[in-house]
């Protein structure tokens, strides 16, 4: 005998403790089991792509900060690289190295947030988050030292960066890089072998390799599924071919692998910054000579870089005026979040939350 | 037979949290203790030097928000008098592009960051409120000439080196006001 | 003879009428216990918030009074001043009753908790059974709250509550039976008196199972699924505010106090201890148990609902049964003079059982084809 039951619709978000912003998930449940899940996006839409059409190339840089606000420096770099490619501007050597240092520090900061809140979603009441914020705070301190703000950096400029770093900056980075591996060990000690964490995340929310590739996922989500795809290695932009680092990949593509990949990437970022600090030219300009209201030549350019959350692309079309004719942003998490249904169906509500947390979503980027 | 997952991971994690019980808290008791901000801080205000300003209007063009109002009139053949110079800090995103673009070093970012007001109208800084003064000091953002006057930034990074979690706090005599106030 | 009995006798000698010498001491006892419980609960709240802060390298509340000791009072005032919101489609009567029904059983349990040899309201000869029976009532009230709120998150929490209670009651009772056998009594006073050696040494496994089971019953980490804030917002008290929420809040800490006190009584030899007065010993032990609970909360993530069930039925129940049998055999065979043999055997047994059962620990289960 079968009992006729009705599906149970649950609306998670846009106000919910763990939607990481204002995402809304329309979930169909059977008991606690997820039958269907549909992300509803757009609650943070600010029309940045349209706003960009009315602003000069330099004026758009502060707006890119507001995309992925946890990794604003990387957005700055990606946008500036797109415009540089369009206009054929060469960034000075020191500028390139500093860009790498800032991007990798930003990657560490972003992954600290991602891992911390992933663990918080599992239920480790704020403790990992607060431990990881301590290190993130140090990175933000250094960013504040260089560019004057902690979140909306607006540091990169077309052709390099706005100012050279102050003289206290490099010793601070050196000290941070020397300390950081020990802290990462501590995070590993805190929860990496914890039986409850393993039970909750191993084998949960598996994203098979084929699905990951076919939906176009990128970043740690893709690498956790076992695809060795990292633009820094595959298509070395900037000066990433000069550094020696590994691309950590997971095996199964479950939540634990995504967590593990992020932890390993932090270690690799530390390695890259170490090498960049060694190779950094002592003196020299950090910015190419670009006029403030410069006109990019007619044409279009697309640059895709490896942001902390995946492949972040900027597509700039110029009609020869001082403002871009069209700016398109290819946000990694928008693509990654389309994998939600593949990962979450059949699991419980509690798993839905950690699967969502393991994607590492920032709504500023998805809704733009 | 290999035994794992019998609770060792839990024990390790609990040992770590227990160890943290004996580390000094990193909390800064904000209104009483204030950390020194970066020398290059882009505080929530602009600082204007009227004697250097020529009224060229580059800052208004550089502003991505269109947020700076500048009204001038010509007095001599090559000179403009600034009648009105206003910035609505309620709309400003403090990107610093105006400061960066100023060719005469007449504009700087401020140090102050506690600028909550009761009315939106109070956010509008006019000529008098923008002018640099003792309570209205410029930061070193794009203006390295002010660098030497400002205190070094207190970094969380340099805690252990100096024994424990010691943060460089402001002396208590300045506790009522922020560093830029 | 408890203090209340003596009081009663004293009133009798004064020549009070029957109804008065019976009811006055009882009411006095109730008032004292309620006052003491509420005070200790407030201290618990402060202790939790401060210590959790220190575990997380922050300070915790430190503004109200020295070291923030008056913070719970400030919180209470804030909560009481809030608007009482009842959802439009709520079952209003049940919604109103539920918070009271959560809090009352918590207070009732303290009737049989011996703070001292004589400081007990009633020394029931079935005290342990009374505790098990009464403390389960809170779960029913939680389900009432969840159902009456007319909120989907609350409903999920309510269903989880029932499943959790049914599963964890069994191992808790099983490990309690071991204690009762060893003390050959169900009276809480007699159980304490039987502990010349604390039962945690004689029955480490039973103590562990009782501790974990009681964690689940008081919705504490890592079994805090009923109010898993990252999943189901605030669980069963999502739709409560003001005084009603305060009762849930107090009830939650009250339950924590209850189980800390029960564990102290059953396994940590209750009020017994050298030098210090017995009540102080009792409170110290209660605080130690509560601190351990806090420590776990500061470290551990949360289990999923099916893993919670698995843990109860596949791990704790068989282990508690084996523990029960072994304890029963030991009571028959091992003479009272050879208690150290029992300690060694039981610690060995606990280690072996935990190791063996850890082999059953698997990953990745729990997916349902839909």
């Amino acid at each position: 005998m079968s009992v006729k039951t009705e599906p149970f619709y649950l609306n998670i978000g846009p106000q919910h403790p763990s939607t990481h912003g204002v995402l809304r998930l329309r979930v169909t449940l059977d008991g606690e089991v997820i039958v269907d899940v549909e992300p509803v996006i757009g609650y943070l839409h600010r029309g940045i792509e349209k706003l960009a059409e009315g602003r000069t190339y330099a004026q758009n840089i502060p707006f890119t900060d507001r995309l992925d606000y946890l990794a604003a420096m990387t957005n700055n770099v990606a946008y500036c690289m797109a415009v540089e490619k369009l206009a054929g501007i060469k960034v000075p050597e020191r500028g390139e190295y500093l860009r790498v240092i800032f991007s990798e520090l930003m990657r560490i900061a972003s992954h600290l947030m991602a891992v911390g809140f992933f663990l918080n979603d599992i239920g480790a009441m704020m403790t990992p988050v607060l431990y990881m914020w301590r290190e993130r705070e140090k990175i933000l301190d250094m960013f504040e030292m260089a560019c004057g703000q902690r979140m909306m950096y607006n540091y990169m400029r077309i052709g390099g960066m706005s100012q050279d770093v102050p003289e206290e900056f490099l010793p601070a980075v050196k000290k941070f890089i020397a300390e950081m591996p020990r802290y990462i060990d501590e995070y590993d000690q805190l929860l990496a072998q914890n039986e409850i964490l393993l039970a909750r995340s191993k084998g949960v929310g598996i994203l098979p390799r084929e699905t990951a590739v076919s939906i176009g996922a990128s970043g740690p989500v893709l690498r956790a599924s076992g695809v060795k795809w990292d633009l820094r290695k595959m298509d070395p932009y900037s000066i990433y071919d000069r550094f020696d680092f590994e691309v950590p990949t997971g095996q199964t593509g479950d939540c634990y692998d995504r967590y593990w990949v992020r932890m390993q990437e932090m270690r690799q970022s530390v390695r890259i910054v170490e090498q960049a600090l060694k190779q950094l030219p002592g003196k020299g300009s950090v910015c190419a000579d670009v006029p403030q209201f410069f006109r990019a030549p007619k044409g279009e350019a697309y640059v895709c870089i490896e942001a902390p959350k995946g492949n972040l692309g900027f597509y700039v079309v110029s009609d020869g005026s001082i403002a871009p004719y069209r700016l398109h942003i290819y946000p990694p998490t928008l693509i990654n979040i389309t994998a939600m249904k593949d990962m979450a169906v059949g699991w419980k509500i509690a798993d839905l939350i950690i699967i969502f947390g393991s994607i590492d979503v920032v709504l500023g980027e998805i809704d733009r | 037979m290999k035994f794992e997952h019998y609770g060792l991971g839990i024990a390790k994690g609990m040992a770590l949290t227990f160890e943290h019980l004996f580390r000094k808290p990193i909390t800064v008791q904000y209104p009483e203790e204030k950390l020194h901000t970066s020398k290059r801080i882009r505080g929530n205000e602009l600082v204007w030097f009227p004697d250097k300003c020529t009224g060229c209007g580059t800052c208004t063009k550089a502003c991505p928000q269109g947020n700076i109002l500048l009204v001038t009139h010509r007095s001599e053949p090559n000179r403009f008098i600034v009648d009105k110079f206003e910035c609505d800090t309620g709309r400003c995103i403090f990107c610093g592009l105006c400061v960066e673009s100023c060719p005469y070093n007449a504009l700087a970012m401020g140090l102050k960051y506690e600028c909550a007001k009761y009315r939106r109208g109070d956010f509008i800084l006019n000529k008098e409120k923008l002018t640099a003064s003792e309570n209205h000091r410029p930061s070193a953002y794009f203006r390295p000439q002010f660098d030497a006057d400002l205190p070094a930034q207190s970094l969380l990074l340099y805690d252990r080196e100096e024994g424990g979690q010691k943060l460089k706090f402001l002396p208590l005599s300045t506790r009522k006001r922020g560093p830029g106030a | 003879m408890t203090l209340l009995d003596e009081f009663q006798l004293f009133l009798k000698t004064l020549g009070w009428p029957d109804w008065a010498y019976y009811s006055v001491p009882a009411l006095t006892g109730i008032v004292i216990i309620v006052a003491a419980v509420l005070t200790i609960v407030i201290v618990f709240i402060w202790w939790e918030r401060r210590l959790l802060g220190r575990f997380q390298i922050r300070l915790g509340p430190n503004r109200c009074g020295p070291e923030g000791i008056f913070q719970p009072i400030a919180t209470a005032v804030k909560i009481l001043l809030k608007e009482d919101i009842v959802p439009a489609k709520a079952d209003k009567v049940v919604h109103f009753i539920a918070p009271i029904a959560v809090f009352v059983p918590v207070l009732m349990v303290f009737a049989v908790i011996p703070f001292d040899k004589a400081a007990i309201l009633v020394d029931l000869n079935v005290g342990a059974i009374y505790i098990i029976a009464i403390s389960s009532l809170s779960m029913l009230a939680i389900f009432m709250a969840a159902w009456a709120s007319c909120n989907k998150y609350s409903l999920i929490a309510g269903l989880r509550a029932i499943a959790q209670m049914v599963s964890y009651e069994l191992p808790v009772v099983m490990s309690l039976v071991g204690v009762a056998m060893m003390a050959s009594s169900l009276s809480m006073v007699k159980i304490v008196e039987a502990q010349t050696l604390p039962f945690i040494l004689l029955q480490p496994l039973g103590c562990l199972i009782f501790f974990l089971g009681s964690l689940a019953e008081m919705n504490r980490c890592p079994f805090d699924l009923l109010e898993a804030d990252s999943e189901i917002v605030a669980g069963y008290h999502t739709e409560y505010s003001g005084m009603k929420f305060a009762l849930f809040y107090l009830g939650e800490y009250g339950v924590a106090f209850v189980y800390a006190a029960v564990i102290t009584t059953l396994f940590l030899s209750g009020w017994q201890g050298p030098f210090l007065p017995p009540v102080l010993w009792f409170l110290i032990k209660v605080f130690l148990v509560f601190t351990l609970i806090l420590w776990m909360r500061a470290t551990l993530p949360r289990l999923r609902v099916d893993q919670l069930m698995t843990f109860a039925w596949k791990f704790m129940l068989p282990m508690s049964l084996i523990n029960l049998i072994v304890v029963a055999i030991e009571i028959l065979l091992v003479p009272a003079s050879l208690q150290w043999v029992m300690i060694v055997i039981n610690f060995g047994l606990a280690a072996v059982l935990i190791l063996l059962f850890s082999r059953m620990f698997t990953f990745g289960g729990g997916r349902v084809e839909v």
Side-chain angles (χ1 to χ4, degrees):
Chain A
M1 192 190 83
S2 69
V3 184
K4 186 172 176 296
T5 54
E6 282 181 13
F8 183 72
Y9 297 104
L10 188 66
N11 194 31
I12 298 182
Q15 276 89 37
H16 185 277
S18 54
T19 50
H20 298 225
V22 283
L23 183 79
R24 179 174 157 217
L25 295 170
R26 214 153 39 195
V27 188
T28 312
L29 295 173
D30 176 14
E32 283 219 21
V33 179
I34 286 153
V35 181
D36 190 16
V37 51
E38 185 190 351
V40 182
I41 61 171
Y43 287 90
L44 201 62
H45 178 67
R46 294 147 301 172
I48 284 180
E49 290 180 2
K50 186 69 190 167
L51 282 173
E53 291 167 19
R55 276 160 179 79
T56 66
Y57 290 100
Q59 283 175 351
N60 281 326
I61 299 168
F63 287 106
T64 60
D65 286 334
R66 273 93 179 152
L67 293 171
D68 177 359
Y69 43 79
L70 298 179
M73 205 63 97
T74 328
N75 299 341
N76 279 349
V77 172
Y79 170 73
C80 291
M81 279 174 64
V83 180
E84 281 153 16
K85 189 176 173 191
L86 178 66
I89 297 164
K90 181 95 177 62
V91 180
E93 193 83 335
R94 187 173 161 89
E96 288 278 23
Y97 274 103
L98 284 176
R99 274 189 180 183
V100 167
I101 291 172
F102 277 101
S103 309
E104 294 306 318
L105 286 177
M106 195 76 251
R107 191 183 309 277
I108 296 174
S110 171
H111 280 352
L112 283 173
M113 268 309 257
V115 170
F117 275 100
F118 168 69
L119 296 175
N120 197 41
D121 285 346
I122 294 186
M125 231 280 303
M126 282 316 272
T127 311
V129 177
L130 284 163
Y131 291 178
M132 288 172 185
W133 266 354
R134 180 184 52 196
E135 271 63 65
R136 180 170 177 267
E137 184 68 29
K138 293 172 185 168
I139 296 177
L140 296 192
D141 268 352
M142 292 188 287
F143 282 6
E144 186 191 341
M145 190 200 285
C147 64
Q149 264 184 16
R150 295 158 45 83
M151 200 162 171
M152 301 302 170
Y153 307 116
N154 186 24
Y155 190 45
M156 301 301 158
R157 291 288 180 275
I158 292 144
M161 51 226 313
S162 62
Q163 305 155 274
D164 202 344
V165 290
E167 55 189 31
E168 312 95 89
F169 179 77
L170 292 176
V173 175
K174 275 189 190 119
K175 183 167 158 47
F176 175 76
I177 289 304
E179 279 179 3
M180 192 59 198
R182 215 190 63 200
Y183 283 116
I184 301 178
D185 290 343
E186 265 190 19
Y187 307 146
D188 278 346
Q189 190 197 338
L190 179 64
L191 282 173
Q193 295 145 294
N194 189 299
E195 279 79 4
I196 300 175
L197 177 84
L198 293 173
R200 281 300 299 279
S201 60
K202 275 238 170 179
V204 173
I206 292 176
L207 182 65
R209 192 190 158 100
E210 294 73 34
T211 323
V213 173
S214 64
I215 63 159
S218 57
V221 176
L222 179 68
R223 287 193 282 276
S225 299
V227 187
K228 214 175 170 89
W229 176 261
D230 187 324
L231 281 178
R232 292 174 294 173
K233 275 273 190 229
M234 297 298 127
D235 176 20
Y237 57 91
S238 185
I239 48 165
Y240 273 105
D241 47 353
R242 299 182 200 174
F243 304 116
D244 170 35
F245 63 98
E246 281 147 31
V247 180
T249 50
Q251 272 122 36
T252 50
D254 53 16
C255 287
Y256 187 82
D257 276 353
R258 289 191 274 277
Y259 157 80
W260 184 86
V261 163
R262 288 204 175 90
M263 295 301 279
Q264 300 307 312
E265 274 185 23
M266 279 194 256
R267 292 181 195 273
Q268 298 303 327
S269 289
V270 169
R271 272 179 73 190
I272 295 175
V273 177
E274 239 170 15
Q275 296 169 41
L277 281 175
K278 277 201 195 104
Q279 301 173 17
L280 179 70
K283 285 236 167 57
S285 158
V286 291
C287 192
D289 198 12
V290 179
Q292 196 193 355
F293 301 103
F294 94 110
R295 288 165 195 274
K298 257 188 190 173
E300 54 187 55
Y302 178 70
V303 163
C304 195
I305 70 164
E306 186 68 35
K309 293 173 180 66
N311 296 352
L312 172 68
F314 274 87
Y315 177 59
V316 190
V317 184
S318 162
D319 58 354
S321 67
I322 55 168
Y325 176 74
R326 172 87 169 94
L327 174 71
H328 179 69
I329 303 153
Y330 173 90
T333 42
L334 175 65
I335 313 298
N336 289 348
I337 205 176
T338 53
M340 272 292 282
K341 195 179 167 185
D342 292 310
M343 290 194 251
V345 166
W347 294 102
K348 309 254 182 321
I349 302 175
D351 297 318
L352 174 74
I353 300 295
I354 67 162
I355 289 166
F356 178 58
S358 73
I359 300 177
D360 183 17
V361 171
V362 166
L363 269 295
E365 191 175 60
I366 293 181
D367 296 342
R368 305 201 286 290
Chain B
M1 208 151 62
K2 206 169 148 224
F3 292 108
E4 40 188 4
H5 315 308
Y6 51 86
L8 187 67
I10 290 176
K12 275 184 181 173
M14 295 203 30
L16 186 77
T17 40
F18 188 70
E19 190 199 322
H20 274 78
L21 210 52
F22 301 102
R23 297 189 188 179
K24 278 207 163 179
I26 57 168
T27 313
V28 179
Q29 305 251 24
Y30 165 59
E32 283 92 25
E33 301 166 328
K34 280 175 184 167
L35 302 181
H36 288 301
T37 55
S38 155
K39 289 182 179 182
R40 289 183 180 177
I41 179 148
R42 303 207 296 264
N44 293 0
E45 58 181 6
L46 289 174
V47 178
W48 182 50
F49 300 95
D51 45 331
K52 287 186 190 158
C53 184
T54 59
C56 67
T58 318
C59 48
T60 59
K61 280 187 253 167
C63 181
Q65 296 284 76
N67 203 17
I68 300 176
L69 174 69
L70 182 73
V71 180
T72 56
H73 71 268
R74 193 185 287 259
S75 68
E76 292 162 38
N78 277 327
R79 210 172 147 68
F80 287 94
I81 303 291
V82 178
D83 297 326
K84 233 181 180 184
F85 187 70
E86 279 183 12
C87 173
D88 182 357
T89 48
R91 273 174 60 86
C92 181
I93 59 174
F94 308 106
C95 61
L97 287 177
C98 48
V99 176
E100 198 178 326
S101 68
C102 182
Y104 302 102
N105 290 353
L107 204 57
M109 299 303 294
L111 283 177
K112 207 148 72 178
Y113 52 86
E114 293 154 316
C115 298
K117 301 269 165 52
Y118 283 101
R119 290 169 201 291
R120 287 208 162 260
D122 296 345
F123 283 122
I124 299 170
L125 303 182
N126 55 18
K127 258 165 74 174
E128 287 74 42
K129 285 184 189 160
L130 279 169
T131 308
S133 67
E134 196 52 38
N135 276 334
H136 195 66
R137 285 161 59 203
S139 84
Y141 183 77
F142 263 94
R143 300 284 175 261
Q145 61 267 35
F146 303 123
D147 206 276
D149 310 341
L150 300 171
Q153 187 188 358
S154 39
L155 295 171
L156 182 59
L157 188 67
Y158 287 117
D159 44 14
R160 301 182 176 283
E161 203 179 58
E162 289 142 20
Q165 297 264 358
K166 204 156 58 185
L167 298 167
K168 287 179 209 133
F169 293 129
L170 282 183
L172 282 175
S173 56
T174 55
R175 67 198 285 187
K176 287 245 169 85
R177 291 286 163 107
Chain C
M1 170 119 14
T2 65
L3 289 173
L4 280 179
D5 294 338
E6 283 172 27
F7 190 29
Q8 218 165 350
L9 279 181
F10 171 69
L11 292 183
K12 208 172 183 178
T13 52
L14 288 185
W16 285 36
D18 277 6
W19 60 269
Y21 85 65
Y22 194 75
S23 60
V24 167
L27 285 174
T28 322
I30 289 170
V31 167
I32 290 173
I33 284 201
V34 169
V37 167
L38 287 181
T39 317
I40 292 169
V41 160
I42 281 175
V43 177
F44 265 22
I45 294 173
W46 170 79
W47 180 240
E48 158 144 31
R49 294 178 68 176
R50 282 294 283 186
L51 200 70
L52 207 56
R54 295 312 307 273
F55 273 124
Q56 299 171 344
I57 49 167
R58 55 191 177 86
L59 285 171
N62 61 347
R63 290 306 161 113
C64 302
E67 296 293 306
I69 186 79
F70 298 129
Q71 185 65 43
I73 295 163
T75 310
V77 171
K78 180 207 73 172
I79 288 176
L80 295 187
L81 288 176
K82 280 194 171 180
E83 187 191 352
D84 177 34
I85 297 166
V86 182
K89 289 194 174 175
D91 186 338
K92 304 234 166 29
V93 179
V94 184
H95 189 268
F96 180 79
I97 294 173
I100 305 165
V102 164
F103 195 55
V104 169
V106 174
L107 289 178
M108 281 166 73
V109 171
F110 283 100
V112 294
I113 303 269
F115 290 79
D116 189 350
K117 187 172 183 334
I120 180 170
L121 196 64
V122 269
D123 182 14
L124 283 185
N125 55 0
V126 287
I129 289 180
Y130 172 84
I131 287 175
I132 295 296
I134 295 292
S135 63
S136 308
L137 280 179
S138 295
M139 280 292 186
L140 189 64
I142 284 174
F143 186 74
M144 280 162 68
W147 179 260
S149 293
C150 192
N151 178 316
K152 288 178 178 178
Y153 292 116
S154 300
L155 184 62
I156 291 170
L159 293 170
R160 282 180 181 183
I162 295 301
Q164 198 164 319
M165 182 193 74
V166 171
S167 320
Y168 277 86
E169 205 77 335
L170 280 169
V172 164
V173 174
M174 286 299 168
S175 52
L176 196 142
V177 171
V179 172
M181 286 197 308
M182 211 167 250
S184 46
S185 169
L186 283 168
S187 147
M188 298 298 266
V189 175
K190 294 233 174 65
I191 288 175
V192 176
E193 280 169 348
Q195 296 182 51
T196 44
L197 271 178
F199 283 166
I200 187 172
L201 296 175
L202 294 172
Q203 295 190 33
L205 191 62
C207 180
L208 186 70
I209 290 168
F210 192 90
F211 177 65
L212 291 177
S214 58
L215 277 183
E217 302 240 319
M218 65 175 112
N219 318 323
R220 276 303 179 133
C221 191
F223 308 108
D224 54 345
L225 284 101
L226 304 196
E227 41 194 301
D229 58 345
S230 64
E231 298 153 22
I232 49 172
V233 192
Y236 57 92
H237 55 63
T238 309
E239 296 289 356
Y240 280 91
S241 66
M243 185 69 200
K244 291 176 187 165
F245 173 75
L247 280 177
F248 278 116
Y249 195 66
L250 279 180
E252 203 175 294
Y253 284 90
V255 172
F257 182 23
V258 165
Y259 278 104
V262 171
I263 289 169
T264 305
T265 314
L266 295 183
F267 293 101
L268 300 178
S269 70
W271 69 78
Q272 293 182 4
F275 310 124
L276 296 171
V279 177
L280 210 56
W281 265 115
F282 181 81
L283 288 180
I284 287 172
K285 285 171 185 171
V286 165
F287 262 85
L288 281 180
V289 175
F290 187 66
T291 308
L292 180 63
I293 295 169
L294 276 188
W295 186 10
M296 292 181 77
R297 185 180 173 204
T299 318
L300 298 181
R302 181 186 304 128
L303 284 166
R304 203 203 304 152
V305 61
D306 57 326
Q307 289 162 350
L308 188 86
M309 299 299 131
T310 314
F311 188 65
W313 292 101
K314 284 193 187 163
F315 293 79
M316 281 171 60
L317 188 61
M319 268 156 93
S320 62
L321 284 172
I322 294 171
N323 181 55
L324 189 63
I325 293 165
V326 172
V327 168
I329 292 170
E330 280 170 349
I331 290 171
L332 279 179
L333 298 184
V334 182
S337 55
L338 281 177
Q339 269 189 331
W340 62 270
V341 177
M342 220 158 143
I343 295 175
V344 172
I345 291 176
N346 281 347
F347 267 96
L349 177 81
V352 168
L353 275 185
I354 290 171
L355 279 177
L356 281 179
F357 273 88
S358 76
R359 296 282 301 171
M360 282 165 61
F361 185 79
T362 49
F363 296 130
R367 189 171 189 276
V368 182
E369 287 300 328
V370 287

